Protein backbone atom coordinates (compact mmCIF):
# COMPACT_ATOMS: atom_id res chain seq x y z
CA UNK A 1 0.00 0.00 0.00
CA UNK A 2 2.76 2.40 1.02
CA UNK A 3 4.68 1.53 -2.08
CA UNK A 4 1.63 2.16 -4.24
CA UNK A 5 1.37 5.61 -2.73
CA UNK A 6 5.02 6.35 -3.44
CA UNK A 7 4.63 5.21 -7.03
CA UNK A 8 1.53 7.36 -7.37
CA UNK A 9 3.41 10.38 -6.04
CA UNK A 10 6.30 9.68 -8.42
CA UNK A 11 3.95 9.34 -11.38
CA UNK A 12 2.21 12.56 -10.45
CA UNK A 13 5.53 14.37 -10.27
CA UNK A 14 6.51 12.91 -13.68
CA UNK A 15 3.33 14.33 -15.20
CA UNK A 16 3.72 17.69 -13.49
CA UNK A 17 7.41 18.01 -14.36
CA UNK A 18 6.94 17.16 -18.02
CA UNK A 19 4.13 19.69 -18.34
CA UNK A 20 6.06 22.44 -16.61
CA UNK A 21 9.42 21.90 -18.31
CA UNK A 22 10.21 24.42 -21.01
CA UNK A 23 13.37 22.89 -22.54
CA UNK A 24 12.20 20.19 -24.96
CA UNK A 25 11.60 17.24 -22.66
CA UNK A 26 12.23 13.78 -24.09
CA UNK A 27 9.76 10.92 -23.74
CA UNK A 28 11.11 10.22 -20.26
CA UNK A 29 10.97 13.86 -19.21
CA UNK A 30 14.73 14.48 -19.26
CA UNK A 31 16.28 17.65 -20.60
CA UNK A 32 18.23 17.36 -23.84
CA UNK A 33 21.71 18.41 -22.71
CA UNK A 34 24.94 16.69 -21.69
CA UNK A 35 23.74 15.68 -18.23
CA UNK A 36 22.55 12.17 -18.97
CA UNK A 37 22.17 8.71 -17.52
CA UNK A 38 24.64 6.56 -19.43
CA UNK A 39 24.58 2.83 -20.01
CA UNK A 40 27.93 1.26 -20.88
CA UNK A 41 27.52 -1.52 -23.44
CA UNK A 42 30.05 -4.18 -24.34
CA UNK A 43 28.47 -5.03 -27.68
CA UNK A 44 30.05 -8.51 -27.86
CA UNK A 45 28.20 -9.67 -24.74
CA UNK A 46 25.00 -7.64 -24.85
CA UNK A 47 22.43 -8.88 -27.38
CA UNK A 48 22.83 -11.08 -30.46
CA UNK A 49 20.51 -10.37 -33.40
CA UNK A 50 21.59 -13.12 -35.80
CA UNK A 51 22.14 -16.22 -33.71
CA UNK A 52 25.94 -16.51 -33.94
CA UNK A 53 26.28 -16.02 -30.19
CA UNK A 54 28.12 -12.71 -30.57
CA UNK A 55 26.35 -9.52 -29.62
CA UNK A 56 26.05 -6.98 -32.40
CA UNK A 57 24.93 -3.49 -33.35
CA UNK A 58 21.48 -4.67 -34.42
CA UNK A 59 21.18 -6.37 -31.04
CA UNK A 60 21.84 -3.05 -29.29
CA UNK A 61 19.18 -1.45 -31.49
CA UNK A 62 16.71 -4.17 -30.53
CA UNK A 63 17.35 -3.46 -26.85
CA UNK A 64 17.03 0.34 -26.98
CA UNK A 65 13.60 0.14 -25.37
CA UNK A 66 15.05 -1.86 -22.49
CA UNK A 67 17.71 0.82 -21.96
CA UNK A 68 15.19 3.67 -22.29
CA UNK A 69 12.72 2.02 -19.92
CA UNK A 70 15.45 1.62 -17.34
CA UNK A 71 15.81 5.39 -17.53
CA UNK A 72 19.06 5.79 -19.46
CA UNK A 73 19.22 8.40 -22.20
CA UNK A 74 22.83 7.88 -23.18
CA UNK A 75 24.83 4.86 -24.32
CA UNK A 76 28.59 4.45 -24.27
CA UNK A 77 29.43 1.83 -26.86
CA UNK A 78 32.70 0.11 -26.11
CA UNK A 79 34.91 -0.24 -29.23
CA UNK A 80 33.11 -1.13 -32.45
CA UNK A 81 35.90 -0.70 -35.03
CA UNK A 82 37.68 -3.66 -36.66
CA UNK A 83 40.22 -5.25 -34.35
CA UNK A 84 41.96 -8.61 -33.94
CA UNK A 85 40.84 -8.98 -30.30
CA UNK A 86 37.42 -9.74 -28.81
CA UNK A 87 37.53 -6.51 -26.73
CA UNK A 88 38.55 -4.42 -29.75
CA UNK A 89 40.69 -1.92 -27.79
CA UNK A 90 43.34 -2.25 -30.55
CA UNK A 91 41.97 -0.76 -33.71
CA UNK A 92 43.01 -1.69 -37.26
CA UNK A 93 40.54 0.56 -39.11
CA UNK A 94 39.17 3.68 -37.42
CA UNK A 95 36.44 4.28 -39.99
CA UNK A 96 34.63 0.97 -40.14
CA UNK A 97 32.50 -1.39 -38.06
CA UNK A 98 33.98 -4.73 -37.04
CA UNK A 99 32.21 -7.35 -39.20
CA UNK A 100 31.55 -9.40 -36.03
CA UNK A 101 29.28 -6.55 -34.94
CA UNK A 102 27.62 -5.81 -38.27
CA UNK A 103 27.82 -3.11 -40.89
CA UNK A 104 27.97 0.67 -41.13
CA UNK A 105 24.32 0.57 -42.23
CA UNK A 106 23.49 -1.20 -38.95
CA UNK A 107 25.31 1.53 -37.07
CA UNK A 108 23.52 4.33 -38.93
CA UNK A 109 20.23 2.63 -38.18
CA UNK A 110 21.15 2.31 -34.48
CA UNK A 111 21.95 6.02 -34.29
CA UNK A 112 18.69 6.94 -35.96
CA UNK A 113 16.62 4.71 -33.68
CA UNK A 114 18.47 5.89 -30.56
CA UNK A 115 17.92 9.53 -31.44
CA UNK A 116 14.25 8.88 -32.11
CA UNK A 117 14.08 7.65 -28.50
CA UNK A 118 16.09 10.66 -27.22
CA UNK A 119 19.09 8.46 -26.45
CA UNK A 120 22.53 9.86 -27.27
CA UNK A 121 25.36 7.57 -28.34
CA UNK A 122 29.01 8.10 -27.53
CA UNK A 123 31.73 5.79 -28.81
CA UNK A 124 35.12 4.76 -27.52
CA UNK A 125 37.99 6.77 -29.04
CA UNK A 126 41.19 4.78 -28.65
CA UNK A 127 44.10 6.97 -29.66
CA UNK A 128 46.74 6.12 -27.09
CA UNK A 129 47.67 3.15 -29.25
CA UNK A 130 46.57 1.15 -32.28
CA UNK A 131 46.68 -2.51 -33.14
CA UNK A 132 50.05 -3.73 -34.37
CA UNK A 133 48.04 -4.79 -37.46
CA UNK A 134 46.96 -1.23 -38.13
CA UNK A 135 48.13 -0.19 -41.64
CA UNK A 136 49.82 2.88 -40.12
CA UNK A 137 52.05 0.66 -37.99
CA UNK A 138 52.59 -1.90 -40.74
CA UNK A 139 53.65 0.83 -43.19
CA UNK A 140 55.93 2.47 -40.62
CA UNK A 141 57.69 -0.75 -39.67
CA UNK A 142 57.93 -1.88 -43.31
CA UNK A 143 59.58 1.44 -44.10
CA UNK A 144 62.05 1.05 -41.22
CA UNK A 145 62.83 -2.48 -42.42
CA UNK A 146 63.61 -1.09 -45.88
CA UNK A 147 66.10 1.51 -44.64
CA UNK A 148 69.74 0.95 -45.48
CA UNK A 149 72.14 0.81 -42.58
CA UNK A 150 73.10 4.36 -41.59
CA UNK A 151 70.00 5.97 -43.18
CA UNK A 152 67.81 8.00 -40.87
CA UNK A 153 64.02 7.70 -41.31
CA UNK A 154 62.50 10.58 -43.26
CA UNK A 155 58.83 11.37 -42.60
CA UNK A 156 58.63 12.94 -46.06
CA UNK A 157 59.08 9.40 -47.43
CA UNK A 158 56.81 7.74 -44.86
CA UNK A 159 54.77 10.00 -42.53
CA UNK A 160 53.79 6.98 -40.42
CA UNK A 161 57.25 6.81 -38.82
CA UNK A 162 56.22 9.88 -36.86
CA UNK A 163 52.86 8.35 -35.81
CA UNK A 164 54.52 6.06 -33.26
CA UNK A 165 57.42 6.14 -30.82
CA UNK A 166 60.44 4.52 -32.43
CA UNK A 167 63.91 4.50 -30.95
CA UNK A 168 67.22 2.76 -31.42
CA UNK A 169 67.37 2.42 -27.63
CA UNK A 170 65.28 -0.02 -25.66
CA UNK A 171 64.08 2.69 -23.28
CA UNK A 172 62.39 0.30 -20.86
CA UNK A 173 60.73 -3.09 -20.85
CA UNK A 174 57.62 -1.78 -22.63
CA UNK A 175 59.72 -1.15 -25.75
CA UNK A 176 59.81 -4.00 -28.25
CA UNK A 177 62.26 -4.76 -31.06
CA UNK A 178 61.21 -4.51 -34.71
CA UNK A 179 62.62 -7.57 -36.36
CA UNK A 180 65.11 -6.90 -39.11
CA UNK A 181 65.85 -3.37 -37.90
CA UNK A 182 67.84 -1.70 -35.16
CA UNK A 183 64.62 -0.03 -33.88
CA UNK A 184 62.34 -0.52 -30.93
CA UNK A 185 58.75 0.71 -30.53
CA UNK A 186 56.82 1.62 -27.41
CA UNK A 187 53.87 -0.57 -26.40
CA UNK A 188 53.11 0.47 -22.84
CA UNK A 189 49.99 -1.72 -22.51
CA UNK A 190 50.99 -4.69 -24.63
CA UNK A 191 53.42 -5.56 -27.43
CA UNK A 192 50.52 -5.70 -29.89
CA UNK A 193 49.33 -2.20 -28.94
CA UNK A 194 52.02 0.19 -30.22
CA UNK A 195 51.76 3.65 -28.63
CA UNK A 196 50.84 6.55 -30.88
CA UNK A 197 52.89 9.75 -30.88
CA UNK A 198 50.29 12.42 -30.23
CA UNK A 199 52.84 15.21 -30.64
CA UNK A 200 52.75 14.58 -34.40
CA UNK A 201 50.56 17.10 -36.20
CA UNK A 202 49.81 14.83 -39.16
CA UNK A 203 48.60 12.12 -36.81
CA UNK A 204 46.44 14.60 -34.93
CA UNK A 205 44.94 15.80 -38.22
CA UNK A 206 44.15 12.17 -39.02
CA UNK A 207 42.50 11.69 -35.60
CA UNK A 208 40.42 14.83 -36.08
CA UNK A 209 39.32 13.48 -39.43
CA UNK A 210 38.27 10.23 -37.72
CA UNK A 211 36.28 12.09 -35.06
CA UNK A 212 34.63 14.19 -37.72
CA UNK A 213 33.76 11.00 -39.64
CA UNK A 214 31.90 9.57 -36.63
CA UNK A 215 30.19 12.86 -35.83
CA UNK A 216 28.94 12.86 -39.44
CA UNK A 217 27.51 9.43 -38.71
CA UNK A 218 25.60 11.05 -35.86
CA UNK A 219 27.51 10.12 -32.72
CA UNK A 220 26.99 12.58 -29.87
CA UNK A 221 30.43 12.36 -28.35
CA UNK A 222 33.37 10.27 -27.33
CA UNK A 223 34.70 8.30 -24.40
CA UNK A 224 38.44 8.94 -24.50
CA UNK A 225 40.44 5.85 -23.71
CA UNK A 226 43.54 6.18 -21.51
CA UNK A 227 44.57 9.88 -21.80
CA UNK A 228 46.74 9.32 -18.73
CA UNK A 229 49.05 7.35 -21.02
CA UNK A 230 49.15 9.60 -24.10
CA UNK A 231 52.54 10.71 -22.80
CA UNK A 232 53.14 8.88 -19.56
CA UNK A 233 52.87 11.22 -16.54
CA UNK A 234 52.75 14.37 -18.71
CA UNK A 235 49.45 15.88 -17.55
CA UNK A 236 50.01 19.19 -19.29
CA UNK A 237 50.62 17.56 -22.67
CA UNK A 238 47.76 15.09 -22.29
CA UNK A 239 45.27 17.74 -21.17
CA UNK A 240 46.33 19.89 -24.15
CA UNK A 241 45.61 16.99 -26.54
CA UNK A 242 42.15 16.52 -25.01
CA UNK A 243 41.50 20.25 -25.20
CA UNK A 244 42.56 20.44 -28.86
CA UNK A 245 40.41 17.48 -29.93
CA UNK A 246 37.42 18.67 -27.92
CA UNK A 247 37.74 22.17 -29.40
CA UNK A 248 37.85 20.66 -32.88
CA UNK A 249 34.70 18.61 -32.22
CA UNK A 250 32.90 21.56 -30.62
CA UNK A 251 33.46 23.60 -33.76
CA UNK A 252 31.56 20.89 -35.62
CA UNK A 253 28.84 20.51 -32.97
CA UNK A 254 28.70 22.81 -29.94
CA UNK A 255 26.74 20.14 -28.05
CA UNK A 256 29.33 17.38 -28.44
CA UNK A 257 30.16 15.46 -25.24
CA UNK A 258 33.48 14.04 -24.11
CA UNK A 259 34.27 11.88 -21.09
CA UNK A 260 37.80 10.73 -20.32
CA UNK A 261 39.21 7.70 -18.60
CA UNK A 262 41.87 9.17 -16.36
CA UNK A 263 42.33 6.22 -14.04
CA UNK A 264 44.03 8.10 -11.24
CA UNK A 265 43.54 9.74 -7.87
CA UNK A 266 41.34 12.76 -7.33
CA UNK A 267 44.20 15.27 -7.49
CA UNK A 268 45.22 14.06 -10.95
CA UNK A 269 41.62 14.05 -12.12
CA UNK A 270 41.28 17.65 -10.96
CA UNK A 271 44.41 18.49 -12.95
CA UNK A 272 42.87 16.95 -16.07
CA UNK A 273 39.84 19.21 -15.71
CA UNK A 274 42.18 22.01 -16.80
CA UNK A 275 41.72 20.45 -20.27
CA UNK A 276 38.30 22.16 -20.17
CA UNK A 277 36.74 18.97 -21.52
CA UNK A 278 33.45 18.28 -19.75
CA UNK A 279 33.88 15.00 -17.88
CA UNK A 280 36.35 12.70 -16.20
CA UNK A 281 35.25 9.39 -14.72
CA UNK A 282 35.11 9.69 -10.93
CA UNK A 283 37.57 6.94 -10.04
CA UNK A 284 37.90 7.71 -6.32
CA UNK A 285 34.21 7.02 -5.83
CA UNK A 286 34.30 3.83 -7.92
CA UNK A 287 35.75 0.33 -7.42
CA UNK A 288 35.78 -1.95 -4.40
CA UNK A 289 37.58 0.51 -2.13
CA UNK A 290 35.84 3.59 -3.52
CA UNK A 291 33.53 5.92 -1.66
CA UNK A 292 30.27 4.53 -3.05
CA UNK A 293 30.95 0.95 -2.00
CA UNK A 294 32.59 1.95 1.31
CA UNK A 295 29.58 4.10 2.21
CA UNK A 296 27.09 1.41 1.21
CA UNK A 297 28.97 -1.01 3.48
CA UNK A 298 28.76 1.50 6.34
CA UNK A 299 32.56 1.78 6.49
CA UNK A 300 32.36 5.41 5.49
CA UNK A 301 29.61 7.74 6.70
CA UNK A 302 27.05 9.43 4.50
CA UNK A 303 28.44 12.67 5.87
CA UNK A 304 31.93 11.87 4.63
CA UNK A 305 30.49 10.77 1.26
CA UNK A 306 28.54 14.00 0.78
CA UNK A 307 31.31 16.29 2.00
CA UNK A 308 33.83 14.67 -0.32
CA UNK A 309 31.40 14.89 -3.24
CA UNK A 310 30.95 18.61 -2.59
CA UNK A 311 34.67 19.31 -2.04
CA UNK A 312 35.59 17.50 -5.27
CA UNK A 313 33.02 19.46 -7.21
CA UNK A 314 34.33 22.76 -5.85
CA UNK A 315 37.94 21.89 -6.71
CA UNK A 316 37.09 20.62 -10.20
CA UNK A 317 34.85 23.59 -10.94
CA UNK A 318 37.76 25.89 -10.13
CA UNK A 319 39.61 24.25 -13.05
CA UNK A 320 36.58 23.89 -15.32
CA UNK A 321 33.39 25.75 -14.34
CA UNK A 322 31.46 23.63 -16.87
CA UNK A 323 32.63 20.28 -15.52
CA UNK A 324 30.12 17.42 -15.35
CA UNK A 325 31.07 14.67 -12.93
CA UNK A 326 30.94 11.14 -14.36
CA UNK A 327 30.37 8.86 -11.36
CA UNK A 328 30.17 5.09 -11.69
CA UNK A 329 30.59 2.01 -9.52
CA UNK A 330 32.39 -0.38 -11.84
CA UNK A 331 33.26 -0.74 -15.51
CA UNK A 332 34.64 -3.38 -17.88
CA UNK A 333 38.08 -3.26 -16.25
CA UNK A 334 36.91 -3.89 -12.68
CA UNK A 335 35.28 -6.63 -10.65
CA UNK A 336 31.54 -6.13 -10.69
CA UNK A 337 29.65 -4.61 -7.78
CA UNK A 338 28.19 -7.99 -6.80
CA UNK A 339 31.67 -9.17 -5.84
CA UNK A 340 32.20 -6.32 -3.38
CA UNK A 341 29.06 -7.29 -1.48
CA UNK A 342 29.14 -11.03 -2.11
CA UNK A 343 25.60 -10.82 -3.40
CA UNK A 344 24.13 -8.90 -0.46
CA UNK A 345 21.26 -7.35 -2.35
CA UNK A 346 20.56 -4.68 0.28
CA UNK A 347 24.11 -3.33 0.07
CA UNK A 348 23.97 -3.34 -3.70
CA UNK A 349 20.76 -1.34 -3.50
CA UNK A 350 22.39 1.25 -1.24
CA UNK A 351 25.34 1.54 -3.63
CA UNK A 352 22.90 2.14 -6.50
CA UNK A 353 21.04 4.83 -4.51
CA UNK A 354 24.28 6.61 -3.69
CA UNK A 355 25.47 6.52 -7.31
CA UNK A 356 22.15 7.76 -8.61
CA UNK A 357 22.03 10.57 -6.06
CA UNK A 358 25.24 12.15 -7.31
CA UNK A 359 25.33 15.28 -9.46
CA UNK A 360 26.67 14.75 -12.98
CA UNK A 361 26.14 11.94 -15.48
CA UNK A 362 26.20 8.48 -13.86
CA UNK A 363 27.50 5.55 -15.92
CA UNK A 364 25.98 2.11 -15.40
CA UNK A 365 27.85 -0.93 -16.68
CA UNK A 366 25.46 -3.32 -18.49
CA UNK A 367 24.14 -5.94 -16.08
CA UNK A 368 24.97 -3.81 -13.02
CA UNK A 369 21.27 -2.99 -12.75
CA UNK A 370 20.46 -6.64 -12.08
CA UNK A 371 23.52 -7.37 -9.92
CA UNK A 372 25.57 -9.52 -12.30
CA UNK A 373 28.83 -10.83 -10.89
CA UNK A 374 32.29 -11.14 -12.36
CA UNK A 375 34.72 -13.83 -11.36
CA UNK A 376 38.42 -13.59 -10.53
CA UNK A 377 40.98 -11.28 -12.10
CA UNK A 378 40.51 -12.32 -15.75
CA UNK A 379 39.21 -9.43 -17.88
CA UNK A 380 37.01 -11.80 -19.89
CA UNK A 381 35.14 -12.70 -16.70
CA UNK A 382 34.27 -9.03 -16.16
CA UNK A 383 32.58 -8.92 -19.57
CA UNK A 384 30.26 -11.92 -19.47
CA UNK A 385 27.06 -12.29 -21.46
CA UNK A 386 24.15 -10.13 -20.36
CA UNK A 387 21.91 -12.29 -18.21
CA UNK A 388 18.59 -11.73 -19.93
CA UNK A 389 17.04 -14.99 -18.79
CA UNK A 390 17.91 -18.24 -17.04
CA UNK A 391 16.30 -20.10 -19.94
CA UNK A 392 17.93 -20.40 -23.33
CA UNK A 393 16.35 -17.81 -25.59
CA UNK A 394 17.21 -15.99 -28.76
CA UNK A 395 19.47 -12.98 -28.35
CA UNK A 396 21.54 -14.42 -25.50
CA UNK A 397 25.27 -14.10 -26.13
CA UNK A 398 27.99 -16.67 -25.48
CA UNK A 399 30.38 -14.10 -24.00
CA UNK A 400 34.16 -13.98 -24.48
CA UNK A 401 35.60 -17.31 -25.63
CA UNK A 402 38.39 -17.18 -23.03
CA UNK A 403 36.11 -16.50 -20.08
CA UNK A 404 36.04 -19.29 -17.53
CA UNK A 405 33.39 -21.83 -18.36
CA UNK A 406 30.35 -22.68 -16.28
CA UNK A 407 30.10 -19.39 -14.44
CA UNK A 408 26.56 -19.15 -13.19
CA UNK A 409 25.13 -15.77 -12.34
CA UNK A 410 23.61 -15.71 -8.87
CA UNK A 411 21.30 -12.75 -9.38
CA UNK A 412 17.86 -13.11 -10.91
CA UNK A 413 17.90 -12.50 -14.67
CA UNK A 414 16.38 -9.48 -16.36
CA UNK A 415 13.06 -11.16 -17.22
CA UNK A 416 12.47 -12.07 -13.55
CA UNK A 417 13.59 -8.75 -12.08
CA UNK A 418 11.31 -6.85 -14.45
CA UNK A 419 8.40 -8.55 -12.66
CA UNK A 420 9.73 -7.93 -9.15
CA UNK A 421 9.24 -4.49 -7.65
CA UNK A 422 11.63 -5.37 -4.81
CA UNK A 423 14.49 -6.03 -7.23
CA UNK A 424 17.75 -4.16 -7.64
CA UNK A 425 16.55 -3.34 -11.16
CA UNK A 426 13.69 -1.27 -9.71
CA UNK A 427 16.04 0.72 -7.49
CA UNK A 428 17.99 1.66 -10.63
CA UNK A 429 14.84 2.41 -12.57
CA UNK A 430 13.41 4.57 -9.78
CA UNK A 431 16.66 6.47 -9.26
CA UNK A 432 17.22 7.06 -12.97
CA UNK A 433 13.69 8.25 -13.60
CA UNK A 434 13.84 10.61 -10.63
CA UNK A 435 16.95 12.13 -12.24
CA UNK A 436 15.17 12.49 -15.58
CA UNK A 437 12.18 14.19 -14.03
CA UNK A 438 14.07 16.45 -11.63
CA UNK A 439 16.90 18.13 -13.55
CA UNK A 440 18.37 19.77 -10.46
CA UNK A 441 19.49 16.35 -9.11
CA UNK A 442 22.14 16.09 -11.85
CA UNK A 443 22.85 19.78 -12.33
CA UNK A 444 22.65 21.35 -8.88
CA UNK A 445 25.21 22.37 -6.28
CA UNK A 446 24.80 21.17 -2.71
CA UNK A 447 24.64 23.04 0.52
CA UNK A 448 24.56 20.83 3.61
CA UNK A 449 21.64 21.65 5.92
CA UNK A 450 21.84 18.79 8.39
CA UNK A 451 24.28 16.09 9.50
CA UNK A 452 23.41 13.68 12.30
CA UNK A 453 26.00 13.12 15.03
CA UNK A 454 26.60 9.59 13.68
CA UNK A 455 27.16 11.04 10.21
CA UNK A 456 24.70 8.54 8.75
CA UNK A 457 21.92 11.02 8.05
CA UNK A 458 22.53 14.05 5.87
CA UNK A 459 20.23 16.58 4.24
CA UNK A 460 21.40 18.95 1.50
CA UNK A 461 19.75 21.66 -0.52
CA UNK A 462 20.78 21.06 -4.13
CA UNK A 463 20.13 24.10 -6.31
CA UNK A 464 20.23 24.56 -10.06
CA UNK A 465 19.08 27.83 -11.61
CA UNK A 466 16.05 28.74 -9.48
CA UNK A 467 15.17 25.16 -8.56
CA UNK A 468 16.08 23.43 -5.31
CA UNK A 469 15.67 19.78 -4.45
CA UNK A 470 16.38 18.59 -0.91
CA UNK A 471 18.43 15.41 -0.93
CA UNK A 472 18.06 13.17 2.11
CA UNK A 473 20.57 10.45 2.87
CA UNK A 474 20.08 7.86 5.57
CA UNK A 475 22.67 5.07 5.49
CA UNK A 476 21.88 3.89 9.01
CA UNK A 477 19.83 0.72 9.45
CA UNK A 478 17.19 2.55 11.49
CA UNK A 479 14.32 4.87 10.74
CA UNK A 480 15.43 8.39 11.59
CA UNK A 481 13.41 11.50 12.47
CA UNK A 482 14.75 14.94 11.62
CA UNK A 483 13.01 18.21 12.58
CA UNK A 484 11.21 19.69 9.62
CA UNK A 485 12.62 23.07 10.66
CA UNK A 486 15.91 22.02 9.00
CA UNK A 487 14.19 22.60 5.67
CA UNK A 488 11.65 25.27 6.59
CA UNK A 489 14.36 27.50 8.05
CA UNK A 490 16.37 27.19 4.84
CA UNK A 491 13.31 28.07 2.80
CA UNK A 492 12.43 31.08 4.93
CA UNK A 493 16.05 32.29 4.70
CA UNK A 494 15.39 32.40 0.94
CA UNK A 495 12.12 34.24 1.48
CA UNK A 496 10.03 31.17 0.60
CA UNK A 497 7.10 29.94 2.60
CA UNK A 498 6.09 26.88 0.59
CA UNK A 499 5.59 23.44 2.05
CA UNK A 500 7.83 20.65 0.78
CA UNK A 501 6.49 17.32 -0.41
CA UNK A 502 8.21 14.03 -1.12
CA UNK A 503 9.29 13.78 -4.75
CA UNK A 504 10.54 10.22 -4.47
CA UNK A 505 12.36 7.73 -2.27
CA UNK A 506 14.77 4.92 -3.04
CA UNK A 507 14.92 2.57 -0.07
CA UNK A 508 15.87 -0.99 0.76
CA UNK A 509 12.55 -1.58 2.55
CA UNK A 510 10.43 0.06 -0.14
CA UNK A 511 9.15 2.56 2.42
CA UNK A 512 9.04 6.22 1.53
CA UNK A 513 10.01 9.32 3.47
CA UNK A 514 7.04 10.79 5.36
CA UNK A 515 6.52 14.38 6.33
CA UNK A 516 4.64 15.03 9.57
CA UNK A 517 3.78 18.40 11.06
CA UNK A 518 7.17 18.86 12.75
CA UNK A 519 9.21 15.93 11.52
CA UNK A 520 10.64 14.24 8.50
CA UNK A 521 10.58 10.48 8.99
CA UNK A 522 13.30 8.81 6.95
CA UNK A 523 13.39 5.05 6.43
CA UNK A 524 16.58 3.06 7.03
CA UNK A 525 18.98 2.73 4.09
CA UNK A 526 17.39 5.29 1.83
CA UNK A 527 17.99 8.28 -0.38
CA UNK A 528 15.06 10.59 -0.97
CA UNK A 529 14.22 13.87 -2.65
CA UNK A 530 11.89 16.57 -1.35
CA UNK A 531 10.73 19.66 -3.17
CA1 LIG B 1 25.63 -11.69 -33.73
Amino acid sequence: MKRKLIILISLLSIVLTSCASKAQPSISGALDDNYRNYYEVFVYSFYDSDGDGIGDIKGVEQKLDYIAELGCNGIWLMPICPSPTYHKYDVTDYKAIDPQYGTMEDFESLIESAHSKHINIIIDMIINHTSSNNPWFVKATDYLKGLSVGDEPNPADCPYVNYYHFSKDKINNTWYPIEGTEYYYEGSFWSEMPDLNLADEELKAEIKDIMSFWMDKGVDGFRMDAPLHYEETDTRFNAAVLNELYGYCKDIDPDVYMVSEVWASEQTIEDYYTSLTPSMFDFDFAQGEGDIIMTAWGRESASSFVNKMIDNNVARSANNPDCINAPFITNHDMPRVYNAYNGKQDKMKIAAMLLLSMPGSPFIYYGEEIGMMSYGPKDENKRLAMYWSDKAQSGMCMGPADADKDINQKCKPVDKQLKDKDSLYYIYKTGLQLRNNNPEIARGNDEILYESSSGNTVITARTWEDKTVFVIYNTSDETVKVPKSVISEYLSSKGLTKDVTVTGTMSVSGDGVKIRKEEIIIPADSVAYLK
Side-chain angles (χ1 to χ4, degrees), residues 338 372-375 384 387 404-411:
Y338 176 102
M372 278 175 63
M373 67 185 296
S374 61
Y375 193 81
L384 298 172
Y387 190 37
D404 289 330
K405 301 301 166 207
D406 304 324
I407 296 176
N408 293 314
Q409 291 296 337
K410 292 179 182 166
C411 62

Side-chain angles (χ1 to χ4, degrees), residues 15 59 68 124 158 281 485 502 506:
V15 172
D124 236 301
C158 175
F281 286 113
S485 58
V502 180
M506 298 175 273

Side-chain angles (χ1 to χ4, degrees), residues 2-15:
K2 281 177 213 152
R3 185 170 299 115
K4 277 187 191 149
L5 192 62
I6 295 163
I7 291 168
L8 190 65
I9 291 168
S10 309
L11 285 176
L12 198 62
S13 87
I14 290 168
V15 172

Side-chain angles (χ1 to χ4, degrees), residues 197-214:
N197 169 25
L198 292 164
D200 184 59
E201 294 301 329
E202 276 192 58
L203 170 62
K204 275 193 292 187
E206 192 127 36
I207 290 169
K208 287 172 185 169
D209 184 52
I210 290 161
M211 294 174 102
S212 159
F213 172 87
W214 289 106

